[in-house]
Amino acid sequence: MSRALVIGEALIDIVEGGHERASGTERASRTEHVGGSPLNVAVGLARLGRPVDFLTHIADDERGRRIVKHLEDSGVQLVPGSMTAKRTATARAVLDADGSAHYEFDIDWQLAGTPEVAPPLLVHTGSIATVLEPGCRAVAALLDAYHLSATLTFDPNVRPALISEEETARRRIERLVERCDVVKVSDEDLAWIDPRHSPEQIARTWLSMGPSIVAVTMGSNGAFAVCRAGLVRMPARPVQVVDTVGAGDAFMTGLIDALWSLGLLGADRRRDLARLSADALERVLSTAVLASSLTVARAGADLPDRDALTGS
């Protein structure tokens, strides 16, 4: 077991907002990038030299083939059976003046069967894949199946525009928190999931439910994480923000990569992960924040490779 399996949506981000110059005049820009939170994590891990299989639901159309090429160029192995959709999903991202993105989605999420891959060291999922019917049920079943062999990681990455049954979605998120070893979540996600409590209160509650690490990102205010050894805070790195697309996915990628480097992945290392020290958590969190800062300095979800991460 030496590979990661990432399960989740792949789509095309249609980014609108900002301005570009053409013939001496300014006009609003519109660009398309390959995206999807789980896809970004798969690509990010592969760019860092980690072997990755990716299970998704895309079509054999122009946009789907663009996604396949992006995966191939990054070194990600697409799991057989992933190209069965009628159309490839899109997410229209409108950028505010500060680079923050707001999304509108066109997506059909389905999965069927068991992935034809070797038993993984790590299984990551999150976002749309874990709450959107009917595919979310298959994702939950796969996590149950892989719990005996792999470290499970989860990023809720809530997309309210796609959620019609809010309480059902909250219950699904809670069940995955209970099942997973590492959970990453943003303060914005937590404000939607549980507006009555602070991010720190929720993180500590989630930690008591089963995970070994709960990490919370807070944009320009940095991030913090809790483990059984305590709480660690990490300030954001000063950077010129181009946009925030993929920032949380880069953070998740850095978190996984740092734990991988420490030899803490795989179900047989679950006890060691649970005994993570505060000093080790600080190093892990520092890597995650660095990966995120490098990404927001670029347009779209352009996650760093190993040279960029180690050279910064």
Side-chain angles (χ1 to χ4, degrees):
M1 296 189 300
S2 61
R3 298 180 67 82
L5 172 63
V6 178
I7 305 170
E9 70 272 9
L11 46 78
I12 297 294
D13 282 321
I14 304 169
V15 182
E16 299 180 0
H19 292 82
E20 61 183 15
R21 289 191 171 275
S23 303
T25 61
E26 284 196 356
R27 64 183 181 184
S29 64
R30 183 180 188 274
T31 57
E32 293 194 6
H33 307 275
V34 174
S37 177
L39 176 143
N40 290 338
V41 173
V43 167
L45 288 172
R47 288 183 177 181
L48 294 175
R50 305 300 187 182
V52 184
D53 297 306
F54 181 51
L55 175 64
T56 191
H57 185 60
I58 57 176
D60 187 8
D61 54 18
E62 181 179 353
R63 283 172 166 157
R65 290 188 290 273
R66 181 178 176 184
I67 289 171
V68 171
K69 184 178 187 306
H70 181 68
L71 293 170
E72 290 175 346
D73 290 347
S74 299
V76 177
Q77 180 68 48
L78 186 66
V79 174
S82 291
M83 297 189 73
T84 58
K86 293 181 180 179
R87 67 183 184 283
T88 297
T90 60
R92 179 173 169 266
V94 180
L95 299 182
D96 292 339
D98 64 355
S100 299
H102 304 275
Y103 293 90
E104 297 176 2
F105 294 90
D106 176 17
I107 182 170
D108 172 43
W109 175 241
Q110 299 186 48
L111 287 179
T114 302
E116 297 178 13
V117 297
L121 182 73
L122 165 93
V123 178
H124 171 76
T125 192
S127 198
I128 297 167
T130 58
V131 296
L132 188 64
E133 293 276 10
C136 64
R137 297 180 183 272
V139 172
L142 287 172
L143 291 185
D144 284 341
Y146 285 120
H147 186 265
L148 293 177
S149 63
T151 297
L152 306 182
T153 65
F154 172 48
D155 176 6
N157 199 11
V158 178
R159 302 303 189 192
L162 280 171
I163 297 173
S164 57
E165 297 290 338
E166 294 186 0
E167 289 310 311
T168 298
R170 290 185 176 100
R171 286 194 297 271
R172 284 178 173 150
I173 289 170
E174 186 172 283
R175 284 195 294 270
L176 290 177
V177 169
E178 292 172 344
R179 199 61 170 159
C180 290
D181 301 291
V182 179
V183 178
K184 172 264 166 190
V185 64
S186 73
D187 55 352
E188 291 183 348
D189 289 341
L190 291 179
W192 184 89
I193 293 168
D194 184 358
R196 300 167 300 173
H197 296 94
S198 71
E200 185 174 328
Q201 288 173 320
I202 301 169
R204 292 188 184 278
T205 298
W206 283 8
L207 186 72
S208 71
M209 292 162 55
S212 294
I213 300 172
V214 177
V216 180
T217 59
M218 301 180 294
S220 60
N221 292 320
F224 73 86
V226 290
C227 66
R228 287 170 176 76
L231 182 147
V232 173
R233 298 186 184 277
M234 187 66 56
R237 287 180 168 242
V239 64
Q240 184 66 44
V241 176
V242 175
D243 64 52
T244 62
V245 178
D249 305 324
F251 183 98
M252 184 81 251
T253 299
L255 200 65
I256 293 170
D257 179 69
L259 293 172
W260 205 324
S261 294
L262 290 173
L264 292 174
L265 299 184
D268 60 336
R269 301 305 308 276
R270 191 163 276 132
R271 288 185 178 180
D272 295 317
L273 181 62
R275 292 194 293 262
L276 187 73
S277 69
D279 287 343
L281 180 59
E282 184 174 8
R283 295 194 297 272
V284 169
L285 197 58
S286 177
T287 299
V289 168
L290 172 58
S292 183
S293 69
L294 292 171
T295 301
V296 300
R298 306 172 177 179
D302 186 6
L303 278 66
D305 59 15
R306 180 64 67 190
D307 288 341
L309 196 64
T310 57
S312 298

